[in-house]
Amino acid sequence: MSSRTRRMHRLGIRRSVFLSQLVMGSCVLALVVLLLVLNVGVFAQYTFFSGVVIIFALTACGAVVDWSRLPLWTIVIVPVLDIVAVTLMRIGQPSLAVAFFYILPVIWLASYFERWGALLGAGLSSVLYIAVTASETSSFGTTDVPRILVVPITLALVAVSTYRAAARNRAQRVILDRQSGLLETALERSKKGERLLDEVLDTLPFGVVRMNDSARVEFANRAYRSWVARQTAPVPGDIGYRVYAADARTVLPEHERPFVRAARGEEFGESVVWMGEPESEVRRAYAVAGQRVDVTDDSTGVVVVARDVTTELEAVKARDDLMASVTHELKNPLTSVAGFVELALEDPELSDVTRRQLEVVLKSSDRMLSLVTDLLEASRARAVGFTLSRAPMDLADIVRDAAEAARARSGDVELRLGNLDDAPMIADAFRLRQVVDNLVSNAMKYNRANGSVTVTIHATSDDVKLAVSDTGVGLTESEMTQLFTQYYRAPSTRNVGGTGLGLNISREIARQHGGDISVHSVPGEGSTFTVHLPRSGNEGEER
Ligand code: ADP
């Protein structure tokens, strides 16, 4: 028992003794006042007067004595003395029927000490009552028996019913105590769980904020609070700064700011936003996601999780800048190597050996040039994005040209042109040639010896589907999900040279045209890459 509970318990005993005795004292006081008012001269009667005095004295004791400090049985003294006092009053004034006052100490004893209290209370008061009444009766006949027994029988009934009610109360109290104990344990456990969750959230290196359904921040973990406290850089949710999209250039409209979306109760997947002006030193990038959580039946909110990815993105940018400058420097000398070798190959007087050697040099420099172009293209696309220059063109013509160029270096892989629907459209021919070249060269590179590549075009009035199928190594499910990620190269193909950039660039070009690229593959059997392009001069989608 805690010290607080113990104090409450002590206060409870003291109060209940006083209140029980107060009822007795008040009843006797009411009788006394009535007798005084009616001017009944009972106080000259010494026994009656002493009974009244004892009851008042006991009431005073009930108020003053700290019963909780005495052994529990000492409380019995008070009702027992009450019974004695009532007997004295009864002896003094038999005509007043004060025997009914026995009921109060009997109830008290039966409710406090249950079985033994009931026995003691009813027994003692009955014995005293019978003794007094019998002593007053000079000639005792059988007709007096029922008259004398009415009061003891009543007292016995009161004692039994009080005892039973008290026993029932106690049983209920035990159940209630047990239930409140269980509740207390459950509450303690849930508080512990809450504390543990808070501690876990505080250890996370990223910010976690919970907004309630009235768009107020209800909880922010330590990481988020420390971002707010540093005050030198913008934090997600800061309304004092402009928010830019992942490309770091496009300003996000107010309704698309992550915290505004969360305040609307919207869920959103992780996306990068930049806070602060492009040239600002304090500009920060955050990867922010919002997830709805149901707290109670009628209250929901959104948890916003934000990671500071500034350093990561700056490192990527530094890598891209380096790549761009290195590849840019490499491109010019390589172009001139390829150009001069081509010129040299035109010389009819070349010996066969020199011609073969020069052809190898040309092939290698072409390959290097295509790798360098991919790298340059990718870093340029990340820095400034693609810009398309659309014009009327036919995709079938592009495929035929690309196939002709590819056949020159197809080796033992056979390149077939299947069904080629005419596909006139308004698009960027240069960029789409890049896509076709990339898909065809991949299909040849990752093929088996003496395999084949088939290119088809199926056009409808709405869209055009260009498919490049090969009989090569194929791809697993997990490889297919990562295929379009920059620098990704499937483990099974790492023995063949490449940068892992071509598919990413190709998909970006397809998406800029409002289309996309999908892949279907069976490991060991081959793959089909399909480019879907809308027919109309689509402005492209932002993704
Ligand atoms: P690269 O070919 O320069 O590595 P890509 O972005 O064009 O870069 O291709 C990424 C990866 O996808 C390749 O490294 C290869 O593992 C896989 N891949 C692409 N095309 C095919 C294909 N037709 N068959 C099997 N794997 C392929």
Side-chain angles (χ1 to χ4, degrees), residues 371 374 438-439 442-447 470 472-475 483 485 488-494 496-504 521 526-527 529:
L371 292 179
D374 271 4
N438 180 246
L439 294 183
N442 277 353
M444 292 194 311
K445 260 199 305 187
Y446 305 115
N447 219 312
D470 62 60
V473 288
L475 294 150
L483 216 53
T485 313
Y488 176 77
R489 311 212 59 229
S492 52
T493 60
R494 291 215 176 117
V496 186
T499 55
L501 286 169
L503 282 179
N504 180 273
S521 185
S527 319
F529 286 80

Side-chain angles (χ1 to χ4, degrees), residues 356-431:
R356 268 201 307 279
Q357 286 168 342
L358 281 176
E359 274 168 359
V360 172
V361 173
L362 185 61
K363 233 179 178 173
S364 305
S365 57
D366 271 353
R367 243 187 82 55
M368 273 182 82
L369 202 55
S370 94
L371 292 179
V372 164
T373 310
D374 271 4
L375 288 169
L376 195 58
E377 196 74 60
S379 48
R380 204 179 283 154
R382 274 195 301 273
V384 290
F386 280 112
T387 41
L388 299 183
S389 54
R390 293 166 192 269
M393 49 139 275
D394 193 324
L395 190 62
D397 293 340
I398 289 182
V399 168
R400 275 187 281 268
D401 289 351
E404 200 180 311
R407 273 198 190 107
R409 49 197 155 84
S410 62
D412 58 0
V413 175
E414 187 193 351
L415 176 57
R416 298 181 197 144
L417 291 183
N419 173 64
L420 289 188
D421 285 348
D422 286 340
M425 55 202 291
I426 296 171
D428 187 325
F430 175 77
R431 292 290 183 196

